[in-house]
Amino acid sequence: MRIVNLTKEATENILENLLKRSPNNYGDFEGSVAEIVANVRKNKDEAIFEYSKKFDGADINADNILVTEEEIKEAYEKVDETLLNVMRKALVNIRSYHEKQKQNSWIATEDNGAILGQKVTPLQRVGVYVPGGKAVYPSSVLMNIVPAKVAGVDEIIMTTPPGRDGKVNPSTLVAAKEAGADKIYKVGGAQAIAALAFGTESIPKVDKIVGPGNIYVALAKKAVFGYVSIDSIAGPSEILVLADETANARYVAADLLSQAEHDEMASAILVTTSQKLAEEVSKEVDGFVAELSRKEIIQKSLDQFGYILVADDMETAVATANEIAPEHLEIITVNPFETMTKIRNAGAIFLGEYSSEPLGDYFAGPNHVLPTNGTAKFFSPLGVDAFVKKSSIISYSREALQPIYRDIVQFAECEQLTAHANSIRVRFEDKKN
Amino acid sequence: MRIVNLTKEATENILENLLKRSPNNYGDFEGSVAEIVANVRKNKDEAIFEYSKKFDGADINADNILVTEEEIKEAYEKVDETLLNVMRKALVNIRSYHEKQKQNSWIATEDNGAILGQKVTPLQRVGVYVPGGKAVYPSSVLMNIVPAKVAGVDEIIMTTPPGRDGKVNPSTLVAAKEAGADKIYKVGGAQAIAALAFGTESIPKVDKIVGPGNIYVALAKKAVFGYVSIDSIAGPSEILVLADETANARYVAADLLSQAEHDEMASAILVTTSQKLAEEVSKEVDGFVAELSRKEIIQKSLDQFGYILVADDMETAVATANEIAPEHLEIITVNPFETMTKIRNAGAIFLGEYSSEPLGDYFAGPNHVLPTNGTAKFFSPLGVDAFVKKSSIISYSREALQPIYRDIVQFAECEQLTAHANSIRVRFEDKKN
C-alpha cells in the first residue's frame, strides 16, 4: 500500500482524487428516471407492474405485490438459525442506542401567561428501500427500520425488487420482520421510489423515503424530494484510521481492508505520525490481501483510493482527518478520547484498538448509515431525528401580549405588512381607531 | 369570503387546489440555472461580477464585494431608531428560544468498558441568502442568522444582491450586524448560491446554505444539494385557523388576512364547527379588506386559496387541519391545549385568542422559517438542529468485545464480507489460524 508524506499539496491532491468518487454521470440517467417517475405518478400500479416485468423479469400484479405472512414464514424456514440469533442480539443493541436519541417535546412558561415550546411528532408513514441483486445485507435492513420504529412511526413500508421467480431474498424478509416492517412490497428501482412518493392503487404514499440504492434509485429520490422527505444520497464507503506509534499495525491493516472490500470506489486511508507504523501497516496489508476472498475488489480500491499518509505531528494528522471528513474514523492513539475532542467531521468515531469498524456495522448499536464522501461536514448518521418533525408552540395571554403589542405593530409596519399590524392592533384598539 | 361545507369531497378538492401553488414551471428555468452554477464553479469571481452587472446593473468587483465597516456604520445612521430598538427586543426572545433547542453530546457507559455516544458539533461555515428587491424583511435576516449563531457556527457569511448603486438596503445590513453575521457579500441570485457552494477568490465555500429566494435561488439550492447542505425550499405562506363557537370573529378575520397579504399565492383557511362564526368571519373579512393597503393582493389570494370550512364536529375539523398540514396553525377553541394534542402536522401552532400569528413572525422567539405547502408532514421549523451535525461514538474494551466477537464474525460472513470478519478475528485469534 502506498506511503505518502503529508504535505499541504499531497492533501489537496488526495482530496481532489477522493471527490472523483462522486458519480459524475448523473446526467446520463436523469432523463430515463424522470420518465419512470412521471409514468408511475400517472399510471400507478399499471406502470410499476410493467417495469417489474421489464427490469426484474418478474410477473407482479395487485394480488402478489404484497409479501404475504406465508412467504415470511417460508423465509424463516430458509434462514440459518445462527444468523437469526445474531440478528436478534444486534437488534437489542441497535434499539437500545436509538432509544437514547429520542427527544422530548418541551414547553417553557413565564409568569405573565406566555408559553413557548416545541412539539416532537413522529412521521406517520415511512418507506424503506432495500436493494435486491446478489449482495444481500440484512444488517442494512435493521439499520434503516429500527430508528423509524423507535421514533414511533405509525407504519413502515418496505419495498425491494423481486427475483425472476417473484420472490424476495429470505434474509431480507426475516430482517424486515424482526426489525418491525409493517408491509413489504415487491417493487424496486426508480419505480419503487415514485410509487412511495405519489402512491398507487397498491402502495400507499409515504412521508419520507430512506435506504440505499443504485443510481436510478438515488436520482429518483432526488427527483421526488419536496413531495416527500428523503435521507441523504449515499456514496461509496470509506475509513480513515488516525494512529500514532502505539497502534498495532496488524489491527490497523485489517481494519483498512474491511472497508476496501466494499467496492472498487471505497477508500481506506491511514494517517499516522509514525513512519515505522506506516511501513508495518503497508506490509501487513499486502499479507492480508493475498488471503482474502474479495482480493480483486480490495486491490482496485487500494490502488485508486488507498493511502498511508505520514504526518509531521498529530495536529496536522487531525486537520487532515477533519478535511477528509470520513464516514468511519478510527482513532488509535495513546489517548483516543483526547484526540477525539479535536475531531469535527466524521460520521462515526471508533476509539481505541478494540473498536474495530465492523463492530459498528453490525453490533454495537449506533447506525451504520453514515454520511460519505466528505458530507460528514454537514450531514449526520441516520437516526431517530430523521423520523420525527417538530412544531413550534406559541401561547400568549392578553397580559403577556399587551406590553409588547406596539412593538410588533411597529415591526410589521416597517416591513409594510399592514394586515400583520392590524391583526395585533385589533385585539387592543377600538373598532373605530 | 367563501363558506364551504366540509365534506370528504370538498377536502379533496381543496387539497388539490392548494397543491397547485407549488411552482410547476421549474423546468423552464433549470437550464439557465445550471448554466449559471457551472459558470460560477469554473470562472468564480469573474462570473459573479458579470452576473451582478447583467442582473443587478451593479458594478461589483473584488474590492467592493465585501460590505465594509463603514457601509455598516452608514446603514445604522439611516435606520429608524424605533425599528432598531424593536429588533433588539425581538432578538432577545429569538435567542432565548433557540438556546432551549440546543442538544448536548452524550455518552452511555457500561461496566465492561463499552462506551457509546453521540457528539454534536456545529457546522464550521454557513451561508445565509437574503433576497433584495423592494420588499425588505429584516425579521427574516434575524430568523435565519440567530439559530446558526446559537448553534455555535464559527463563521456566518451573508449574501444579498446589491442595488444599481452597489449598495445594500440599510435595514438588511443592520439586522445582519445585530444578529451576528461575520461577513456580508454583495451578490444575489443563482450566482450567489453557486459561489457559496463552491467558493470563489472572494467568497469562501460554506457547509450549508439557508434563506429564502426566488425560483432561480431555489433551483440553484437544489442543484448544489449534496455538495453542501441546504434548508428546505420555501413555498407561499399559509395560515389555518381552527376555531369553535367561542372564537372572536373579528380576531379570526384579521389573522386570516395577515397571511393573505403576503402574496397572491398565499392561503388563508378557517376550519370551524360553528356556522355562526363562519358567517361572522366572512363579513369581518370583507370589512377589513376594504381598509387594508394591500387589498389587491389579499383579494386575489382569498379568491384563489381562501376558504371558510364548516365541519360537523371538531374531530373532522382536526383531521382536515392535519391533512392540510399548514405552515401556521391557530387554535382558538374552548380548550386549545387539549385540541393541540390531536395535531400532528403544522409548522407553528398558536394557541388561544391572543396568540395572533404575527406575534410569531416578529417577536415571540420561535423561528418564522417554517415548512409550507403540506411539507409540515415531514419538515420542521428552521432551528439550531439545522446548524449542527452528529457523529456516533463507539469505544469498546477488549473485555467488551471478547464475548461477542464471534457474533460479529458470523454476521459479516453471512453477508460474505470476509475482510470485515477478518478485522474482528485478528484481534482474538492466532496469526496462523
Side-chain angles (χ1 to χ4, degrees):
Chain A
M1 203 175 160
R2 71 186 126 181
I3 302 179
V4 180
N5 274 322
L6 193 54
T7 59
K8 196 165 179 294
E9 205 194 332
T11 312
E12 278 168 18
N13 289 339
I14 289 165
L15 282 170
E16 205 177 308
N17 186 38
L18 289 177
L19 285 176
K20 282 193 194 132
R21 302 182 307 141
S22 312
N24 285 314
N25 53 349
Y26 271 9
D28 305 351
F29 300 92
E30 265 171 1
S32 29
V33 168
E35 201 184 304
I36 294 171
V37 170
N39 187 14
V40 172
R41 191 175 182 183
K42 192 174 162 218
N43 297 309
K44 304 179 197 286
D45 269 2
E46 194 194 327
I48 56 177
F49 300 151
E50 271 171 32
Y51 289 123
S52 294
K53 189 92 204 155
K54 188 173 163 191
F55 296 133
D56 305 314
D59 196 12
I60 301 296
N61 55 52
D63 295 327
N64 67 7
I65 189 168
L66 182 66
V67 170
T68 61
E69 280 305 313
E70 194 160 329
E71 285 175 299
I72 290 172
K73 222 180 118 193
E74 277 170 32
Y76 270 89
E77 284 159 15
K78 283 182 195 156
V79 164
D80 186 70
E81 189 128 352
T82 328
L83 176 63
L84 181 59
N85 286 334
V86 176
M87 262 194 229
R88 285 180 176 166
K89 283 197 209 174
L91 268 173
V92 172
N93 291 344
I94 300 169
R95 280 194 196 111
S96 157
Y97 179 84
H98 287 85
E99 283 289 344
K100 298 191 177 79
Q101 291 186 322
K102 285 177 86 166
Q103 290 182 57
N104 290 321
S105 299
W106 54 263
I107 57 163
T109 62
E110 278 171 44
D111 289 348
N112 62 2
I115 301 175
L116 297 177
Q118 185 172 271
K119 184 174 191 281
V120 181
T121 315
L123 305 189
Q124 207 143 4
R125 194 187 285 133
V126 159
V128 175
Y129 186 83
V130 175
K134 277 181 213 160
V136 176
Y137 298 125
S139 61
S140 170
V141 176
L142 308 183
M143 290 293 185
N144 277 280
I145 292 177
V146 171
K149 198 80 191 167
V150 171
V153 170
D154 292 0
E155 195 177 7
I156 300 169
I157 303 284
M158 190 175 112
T159 72
T160 189
R164 301 192 139 268
D165 57 355
K167 296 278 174 198
V168 175
N169 178 287
S171 316
T172 302
L173 286 187
V174 167
K177 187 71 188 172
E178 291 290 317
D182 294 294
K183 279 175 185 160
I184 304 166
Y185 292 95
K186 298 173 193 167
V187 54
Q191 62 273 23
I193 303 301
L196 291 168
F198 300 110
T200 72
E201 297 86 347
S202 296
I203 300 177
K205 176 180 170 19
V206 302
D207 298 315
K208 181 160 190 164
I209 303 172
V210 300
N214 61 18
I215 196 160
Y216 288 92
V217 170
L219 282 172
K221 277 162 71 179
K222 209 171 169 180
V224 302
F225 175 65
Y227 296 102
V228 294
S229 177
I230 60 167
D231 59 356
S232 52
I233 290 164
S237 190
E238 62 224 1
I239 187 170
L240 189 148
V241 181
L242 191 62
D244 61 18
E245 70 288 351
T246 64
N248 179 315
R250 194 166 156 75
Y251 300 176
V252 172
D255 292 357
L256 291 171
L257 296 176
S258 76
Q259 290 312 294
E261 80 169 332
H262 267 299
D263 62 76
E264 293 165 12
M265 302 295 273
S267 167
I269 298 174
L270 165 65
V271 184
T272 180
T273 47
S274 162
Q275 178 72 33
K276 181 161 169 280
L277 183 76
E279 284 162 19
E280 285 172 7
V281 169
S282 179
K283 251 180 250 161
E284 291 282 357
V285 163
D286 296 342
F288 279 130
V289 173
E291 295 163 19
L292 288 165
S293 63
R294 295 164 73 90
K295 52 175 148 306
E296 285 79 19
I297 293 172
I298 293 176
Q299 200 55 60
K300 279 193 188 147
S301 150
L302 292 182
D303 289 348
Q304 290 184 282
F305 305 111
Y307 299 94
I308 296 175
L309 302 173
V310 182
D312 285 344
D313 48 45
M314 195 41 80
E315 204 185 318
T316 316
V318 165
T320 304
N322 278 329
E323 207 45 60
I324 292 175
E327 182 190 15
H328 305 99
L329 173 70
E330 286 188 5
I331 303 179
I332 311 182
T333 57
V334 62
N335 188 340
F337 275 85
E338 192 185 301
T339 310
M340 185 259 283
T341 62
K342 296 172 183 108
I343 296 301
R344 289 192 73 129
N345 307 323
I349 306 173
F350 297 79
L351 299 158
E353 67 178 4
Y354 284 93
S355 308
S356 171
E357 189 277 335
L359 165 67
D361 280 347
Y362 292 111
F363 215 82
N367 212 288
H368 79 196
V369 181
L370 299 166
T372 53
N373 222 355
T375 62
K377 288 184 179 176
F378 41 82
F379 289 146
S380 302
L382 187 66
V384 170
D385 288 355
F387 298 101
V388 302
K389 33 74 182 214
K390 289 156 190 169
S391 306
S392 310
I393 293 171
I394 300 175
S395 173
Y396 262 48
S397 62
R398 184 178 172 92
E399 190 195 345
L401 188 62
Q402 171 100 58
I404 56 153
Y405 94 85
R406 284 185 194 83
D407 293 323
I408 303 174
V409 168
Q410 242 156 4
F411 211 149
E413 284 177 345
C414 285
E415 293 191 351
Q416 292 167 14
L417 294 175
T418 49
H420 281 65
N422 181 61
S423 81
I424 297 291
R425 196 184 270 130
V426 74
R427 284 162 161 90
F428 297 99
E429 295 177 11
D430 194 84
K431 211 164 176 166
K432 296 274 136 44
N433 184 31
Chain B
M1 201 172 161
R2 73 185 124 179
I3 302 178
V4 180
N5 275 322
L6 192 53
T7 58
K8 196 165 180 289
E9 204 192 334
T11 312
E12 277 167 18
N13 289 338
I14 289 164
L15 283 171
E16 204 178 311
N17 187 37
L18 290 176
L19 285 177
K20 282 192 194 132
R21 302 182 308 141
S22 311
N24 285 313
N25 54 350
Y26 271 9
D28 305 351
F29 300 93
E30 265 171 2
S32 30
V33 168
E35 200 184 305
I36 295 171
V37 170
N39 188 12
V40 172
R41 192 176 180 182
K42 191 175 164 216
N43 297 309
K44 305 179 196 284
D45 268 3
E46 195 194 327
I48 58 177
F49 300 151
E50 271 171 31
Y51 289 123
S52 294
K53 190 91 203 156
K54 187 172 165 190
F55 297 132
D56 305 314
D59 196 10
I60 301 296
N61 55 52
D63 294 328
N64 69 5
I65 189 166
L66 183 66
V67 171
T68 62
E69 279 305 313
E70 196 159 325
E71 285 175 299
I72 290 172
K73 220 179 118 192
E74 278 171 30
Y76 270 88
E77 283 158 13
K78 283 181 195 155
V79 165
D80 186 69
E81 190 128 355
T82 328
L83 176 61
L84 181 59
N85 287 334
V86 177
M87 259 194 234
R88 286 181 176 165
K89 283 197 211 175
L91 267 174
V92 171
N93 292 345
I94 299 169
R95 279 194 198 111
S96 156
Y97 180 83
H98 287 85
E99 283 289 344
K100 296 191 180 80
Q101 290 186 323
K102 285 177 84 166
Q103 290 182 56
N104 291 321
S105 300
W106 54 264
I107 55 162
T109 61
E110 279 172 44
D111 289 346
N112 61 2
I115 302 175
L116 296 177
Q118 185 172 269
K119 184 174 190 280
V120 181
T121 314
L123 304 190
Q124 205 143 6
R125 195 187 284 132
V126 158
V128 175
Y129 186 84
V130 175
K134 277 179 211 162
V136 176
Y137 299 125
S139 60
S140 170
V141 176
L142 308 184
M143 291 292 185
N144 278 280
I145 291 177
V146 170
K149 198 80 189 166
V150 170
V153 170
D154 291 0
E155 196 178 7
I156 299 168
I157 304 283
M158 190 175 112
T159 72
T160 190
R164 300 190 139 271
D165 58 356
K167 296 276 176 200
V168 174
N169 178 287
S171 318
T172 301
L173 286 187
V174 167
K177 186 73 187 170
E178 290 290 319
D182 294 293
K183 280 177 182 157
I184 305 166
Y185 292 95
K186 298 172 192 167
V187 54
Q191 62 273 23
I193 303 300
L196 290 168
F198 300 110
T200 73
E201 296 86 347
S202 296
I203 300 176
K205 175 180 171 20
V206 302
D207 297 315
K208 180 160 190 164
I209 303 173
V210 301
N214 62 19
I215 195 161
Y216 287 93
V217 170
L219 282 173
K221 277 162 70 179
K222 210 172 167 180
V224 302
F225 175 65
Y227 296 103
V228 295
S229 177
I230 60 167
D231 59 355
S232 53
I233 290 164
S237 191
E238 62 221 3
I239 187 170
L240 189 147
V241 181
L242 191 62
D244 62 18
E245 69 289 350
T246 65
N248 179 315
R250 195 164 156 75
Y251 300 176
V252 171
D255 293 356
L256 290 172
L257 296 174
S258 75
Q259 289 311 294
E261 81 169 333
H262 268 298
D263 62 76
E264 294 165 12
M265 301 296 273
S267 166
I269 298 174
L270 166 64
V271 184
T272 180
T273 47
S274 161
Q275 177 73 32
K276 182 161 168 282
L277 182 77
E279 282 161 20
E280 285 171 9
V281 169
S282 179
K283 253 180 247 157
E284 290 284 355
V285 162
D286 296 342
F288 278 131
V289 172
E291 297 164 19
L292 287 165
S293 63
R294 296 165 71 89
K295 51 175 145 312
E296 284 79 18
I297 292 172
I298 293 174
Q299 201 55 61
K300 280 195 188 147
S301 150
L302 292 182
D303 288 350
Q304 289 184 280
F305 306 111
Y307 298 94
I308 296 175
L309 303 173
V310 182
D312 286 344
D313 48 46
M314 196 40 81
E315 204 185 317
T316 315
V318 166
T320 303
N322 280 328
E323 206 46 58
I324 291 175
E327 181 189 14
H328 305 100
L329 173 70
E330 286 188 6
I331 302 179
I332 312 182
T333 57
V334 64
N335 188 342
F337 275 85
E338 191 184 302
T339 310
M340 186 258 284
T341 62
K342 296 174 183 107
I343 296 301
R344 290 193 71 130
N345 307 322
I349 306 172
F350 297 79
L351 298 159
E353 67 179 4
Y354 285 94
S355 308
S356 172
E357 189 277 335
L359 165 66
D361 280 347
Y362 292 112
F363 215 83
N367 212 288
H368 78 197
V369 181
L370 298 167
T372 54
N373 221 356
T375 62
K377 288 184 178 175
F378 41 81
F379 289 146
S380 302
L382 188 65
V384 170
D385 287 355
F387 297 102
V388 301
K389 34 77 185 209
K390 289 157 191 169
S391 306
S392 309
I393 293 172
I394 300 175
S395 173
Y396 261 49
S397 61
R398 183 180 172 89
E399 190 195 342
L401 189 60
Q402 172 100 59
I404 56 154
Y405 95 85
R406 283 185 194 84
D407 292 324
I408 304 173
V409 168
Q410 239 154 9
F411 211 149
E413 285 177 345
C414 285
E415 292 192 350
Q416 290 166 19
L417 295 174
T418 50
H420 281 63
N422 181 58
S423 81
I424 297 290
R425 197 183 271 132
V426 74
R427 283 162 162 91
F428 296 99
E429 294 178 12
D430 195 83
K431 211 165 177 168
K432 296 276 137 43
N433 185 31

